[in-house]
Amino acid sequence: MEAIRPVRRTLLRDRAYEVIRDAIVTGEIEPGAVVRDADLAERLGLSRAPVREAFSRLVDEGLLESKPQSYTRVTPVVASDVRDAAAVVGAMHELVARVAVPRLFAADIEAMRTANERFATAVRAGDVDAALHADDDLHDVLVRVSGNRAAAATIARYTPLIRRLERRRFGEGGSCRSAGLHERLIEACAAGDVGEAVRVTAEIWRGLEEQAD
């Protein structure tokens, strides 16, 4: 588990959550794997308390499942769960697009273009980590500009469920989203066309729902 390494003793609960979540999403901790708070606490250089709190949050978010006094393990990638998550996350992205598009500056559009260039390059290179980071950066422009904290929190909560499927499909020779769809979204944003931006956003996330099938 190369990604599981000691963390700084600041915001320990949040850092433990982020590291364990990322290890699950990347598949470093595989679906069905049993996880133990004592083992991970030792690897992270933490006490068991922040790891237990991280476990609780990950159970709530659907990445872990727990049976009291028995086990805590990574959930399988379930199509219906991914579809539900994609529907919710997509709705939040449509919401932020409606609000953000009229507020965008030229620098925001340029940031989206730069992120899409990195995305396309990463997909061609087969670099799933870089592709998904670039994808996050592109869509996060709209989330940030919208200023909707509730939408941002919902997106952050449910996106990891989707990422697990995207990584699996990428590894099977598929692609994670489309640079062409991103380009259409960026052009709509540049033109201030709220309706088109929302339509393209819906198309992007509908495609992820269909991947789950």
Side-chain angles (χ1 to χ4, degrees), residues 13 16-17 20 36-38 40-41 46-59 64 72:
R13 174 187 60 193
Y17 161 78
I20 298 168
R36 297 176 177 84
D37 55 6
L40 285 175
L46 300 174
S47 69
R48 293 170 70 175
V51 174
R52 286 173 178 167
E53 291 182 62
F55 278 10
S56 178
R57 185 172 172 185
L58 291 163
V59 167
L64 292 179
T72 300

Side-chain angles (χ1 to χ4, degrees), residues 20-79:
I20 298 168
R21 177 202 63 196
D22 291 349
I24 293 171
V25 170
T26 62
E28 182 180 353
I29 306 178
E30 297 180 350
V34 173
V35 292
R36 297 176 177 84
D37 55 6
D39 293 342
L40 285 175
E42 182 178 0
R43 295 186 69 86
L44 294 169
L46 300 174
S47 69
R48 293 170 70 175
V51 174
R52 286 173 178 167
E53 291 182 62
F55 278 10
S56 178
R57 185 172 172 185
L58 291 163
V59 167
D60 188 47
E61 295 180 359
L63 291 174
L64 292 179
E65 56 187 3
S66 182
K67 182 177 180 181
Q69 308 303 319
S70 182
Y71 62 78
T72 300
R73 66 188 178 196
V74 178
T75 57
V77 179
V78 178

Side-chain angles (χ1 to χ4, degrees), residues 33-206:
V34 173
V35 292
R36 297 176 177 84
D37 55 6
D39 293 342
L40 285 175
E42 182 178 0
R43 295 186 69 86
L44 294 169
L46 300 174
S47 69
R48 293 170 70 175
V51 174
R52 286 173 178 167
E53 291 182 62
F55 278 10
S56 178
R57 185 172 172 185
L58 291 163
V59 167
D60 188 47
E61 295 180 359
L63 291 174
L64 292 179
E65 56 187 3
S66 182
K67 182 177 180 181
Q69 308 303 319
S70 182
Y71 62 78
T72 300
R73 66 188 178 196
V74 178
T75 57
V77 179
V78 178
S80 60
D81 292 342
V82 176
R83 281 198 306 272
D84 291 346
V88 170
V89 172
M92 292 299 99
H93 278 292
E94 290 178 46
L95 173 63
V96 300
R98 288 190 181 94
V99 176
V101 169
R103 302 178 180 178
L104 292 169
F105 290 101
D108 299 316
I109 301 297
E110 183 58 28
M112 294 175 74
R113 291 193 193 282
T114 299
N116 197 35
E117 290 170 3
R118 289 192 287 111
F119 174 84
T121 298
V123 169
R124 287 194 297 270
D127 187 341
V128 64
D129 288 320
L132 293 178
H133 281 307
D135 184 78
D136 282 338
D137 289 345
L138 188 155
H139 292 285
D140 282 350
V141 172
L142 296 175
V143 175
R144 172 180 55 77
V145 172
S146 78
N148 190 320
R149 293 183 180 180
T154 302
I155 289 168
R157 174 173 179 171
Y158 290 107
T159 296
L161 287 171
I162 303 166
R163 290 304 198 208
R164 289 207 292 171
L165 176 66
E166 287 187 286
R167 284 179 173 277
R168 176 174 292 184
R169 291 297 169 84
F170 194 100
E172 293 170 352
S175 64
C176 44
R177 321 226 185 149
S178 163
L181 280 174
H182 285 163
E183 188 59 35
R184 284 175 51 199
L185 174 61
I186 294 166
E187 291 307 317
C189 290
D193 189 337
V194 175
E196 177 65 7
V198 171
R199 282 191 290 273
V200 176
T201 298
E203 186 175 347
I204 289 170
W205 291 94
R206 186 166 56 249

